[in-house]
Amino acid sequence: MTSDALALSVLDLVPVRAGQTSAQAVAASLALAGRADALGFRRYWFAEHHNMPAVASTTPPVLVAAAAARTARIRLGSGGVMLPNHSPLVVAEQFAALEALAPGRIDLGLGRAPGSDPVITQLLRQSGTTSDVERFPDHVRDIVSLVSPDGATVRFTSGGTYDVHATPAATTVPEVWLLGSSDYSAQLAASVGLPYVFANHFSGQGLERALDLYRTTYQPSEAHPEPRTFLTANVLAATTAEEAEARALPNLRMMARLRGNRPLIALETVEQSIAGAADFDGLGDSLMASARQGWFVGTGATVASELRAFAAKHGVDEVMISPIAGSYDEEPMDAAPGRVQTLELLAAELHLS
């Protein structure tokens, strides 16, 4: 891999800042997706999280459809659909329909975690069709079959069969990826011959072991004869290192709240984060410092260099960045200048277009 061969993609949680409506947060993210498309980013994925004041990305298929209408080239997908929250057939039908809307541009990233707290998990089970987390491997295989042109075959105990297709006449199919941050997900992706993404942005623990397990135990499939993987990372680039560190504060404080079991709130602005610095005790400061160690924050040139080294170290040619730049008070509610700046600076440094 040469230094110029690094591709970048985007993972979007659709952050919601203080005073911002969901409509404004979604508008900002869709504008960011359009900018990523124009700048030459490879793919743009939406996460699935529930009941979090600072996150509006609850329904990846809806957001993917909206982004598809605003982009022309970039691949779009989920990072990921949390499969235990949904019926495998419904997921397959949703993404097969998205593939029909944007042929050759849809990724279906699947995860095993609930993406929510236990109360929301129970509400999802009571209010809609879900799937048994213990049957996750079977459901992954089912989805791969359902979205294929051949579909899947249901076999009855009586001996009869019934054919099922996510769409009746598929010519192209969404590309299925398995997401995770553990040995389990790496081994499952390898055993079924699927591309794999390690969720390094959430937890870098066990990264090298997971990649080694995936690559050394990989079982080739017809669609993917070789193992294929990339990594995620929390990334922020600005014109100065000082601005970058300031814009990182809102997300650092949110991460400290999450890991310290503090009440969650909408994402603070930079000014609110600075003003609230005295609110945290030693544990909060320690959690912020720990999170910051694994993030890529600095000028465009510095971050681009660090991302190249990170990709080379782990043998990947793609990094999916979660652009974590916070906003200043005066910045518009329906835009995300700091996140746009991160994409623009890195695109220029890495010659993406």
Side-chain angles (χ1 to χ4, degrees), residues 209-258:
R209 174 175 167 79
L211 290 185
D212 182 64
L213 277 171
Y214 173 66
R215 288 166 171 158
T216 57
T217 64
Y218 187 79
Q219 300 296 310
S221 61
E222 183 177 351
H224 304 286
E226 301 290 338
R228 185 179 175 199
T229 185
F230 64 80
L231 305 173
T232 62
N234 291 310
V235 174
L236 196 163
T239 54
T240 67
E242 292 75 17
E243 180 191 352
E245 295 295 341
R247 285 192 182 272
L249 283 174
N251 267 291
L252 283 170
R253 284 172 57 83
M254 183 181 70
M255 186 60 67
R257 286 180 177 276
L258 183 65

Side-chain angles (χ1 to χ4, degrees), residues 302-349:
T302 298
V303 173
S305 177
E306 291 176 348
L307 287 175
R308 284 194 184 101
F310 176 67
K313 176 181 178 181
H314 297 292
V316 298
D317 66 357
E318 178 179 353
V319 175
M320 176 170 277
I321 69 169
S322 178
I324 52 167
S327 298
Y328 287 93
D329 286 341
E330 74 276 5
E331 292 177 339
M333 290 290 185
D334 59 353
R339 294 199 292 155
V340 171
Q341 178 179 239
T342 291
L343 268 57
E344 291 178 340
L345 290 172
L346 293 178
E349 290 289 338

Side-chain angles (χ1 to χ4, degrees), residues 119-186:
V119 174
I120 297 300
T121 298
Q122 288 302 314
L123 286 174
L124 287 166
R125 289 175 179 170
Q126 292 173 13
S127 61
T129 54
T130 58
S131 59
D132 183 357
V133 68
E134 298 304 322
R135 293 193 60 205
F136 180 71
D138 293 331
H139 293 150
V140 170
R141 294 183 182 94
D142 289 344
I143 287 176
V144 172
S145 295
L146 285 165
V147 299
S148 71
D150 293 336
T153 300
V154 177
R155 299 187 182 278
F156 300 117
T157 54
S158 61
T161 61
Y162 190 85
D163 292 336
V164 185
H165 297 78
T167 49
T171 54
T172 60
V173 299
E175 185 167 70
V176 180
W177 292 74
L178 202 59
L179 283 58
S181 57
S182 67
D183 292 356
Y184 175 89
S185 57

Side-chain angles (χ1 to χ4, degrees), residues 71-102:
T71 56
R73 177 204 55 81
I74 197 168
R75 294 190 65 88
L76 302 163
S78 56
V81 166
M82 300 294 102
L83 189 50
N85 298 338
H86 310 280
S87 158
L89 176 59
V90 171
V91 172
E93 288 182 328
Q94 288 172 339
F95 278 81
L98 288 169
E99 180 67 24
L101 286 171

